[in-house]
Amino acid sequence: QVQLVESGGGLVQAGGSLRLSCVASGTIISYNTMRWYRQAPGNQRELVAGISPGGNTNYADSVKGRFTISRDNAKSTVYLQMNSLKPEDTAVYYCNRMARPPLPWGQGTQVTVSS
């Protein structure tokens, strides 16, 4: 059974940091470009960051210089280090592969940034 499990979210003050993790089971992600997405209440899911199998990364303009995506293929895990958090980063964060169809979506992890 393919499963994505996100964790590491929480409540943090503006300027703080969090590290999110996404563990994949039942599938091999090492050959996939993996992405972090987020969805705030009333908004569509948006792309935050991506990382290729070779480690090339890309970021949404809104998080460049503050967020860092990384991966550990041996652990089937993708990370998102989030620094200098802002209230507008508040959302549920999800990971998935870029390829279609996507893997079954996990439950996400809630990130709440207070001002």
Side-chain angles (χ1 to χ4, degrees):
Q1 182 181 359
V2 178
Q3 194 173 18
L4 296 169
V5 179
E6 300 92 349
S7 63
L11 174 63
V12 64
Q13 288 188 330
S17 298
L18 286 172
R19 189 193 195 205
L20 307 184
S21 298
C22 168
V23 180
S25 59
T27 186
I28 298 174
I29 66 167
S30 57
Y31 304 119
N32 284 275
T33 291
M34 296 298 294
R35 290 174 162 176
W36 281 98
Y37 300 84
R38 66 186 180 188
Q39 187 168 19
N43 290 356
Q44 290 188 335
R45 190 172 293 168
E46 65 172 345
L47 175 62
V48 175
I51 184 166
S52 72
N56 292 322
T57 59
N58 60 82
Y59 300 92
D61 287 344
S62 59
V63 306
K64 277 181 183 176
R66 300 189 297 121
F67 290 11
T68 303
I69 188 172
S70 60
R71 65 192 300 162
D72 185 337
N73 290 329
K75 296 181 178 179
S76 293
T77 302
V78 182
Y79 304 98
L80 187 67
Q81 177 68 44
M82 306 187 298
N83 299 329
S84 302
L85 282 161
K86 304 176 180 180
E88 51 263 44
D89 295 319
T90 295
V92 179
Y93 285 71
Y94 304 86
C95 71
N96 214 313
R97 65 182 182 184
M98 184 182 75
R100 292 295 178 261
L103 300 173
W105 291 91
Q107 81 289 348
T109 186
Q110 175 71 48
V111 172
T112 302
V113 184
S114 63
S115 57

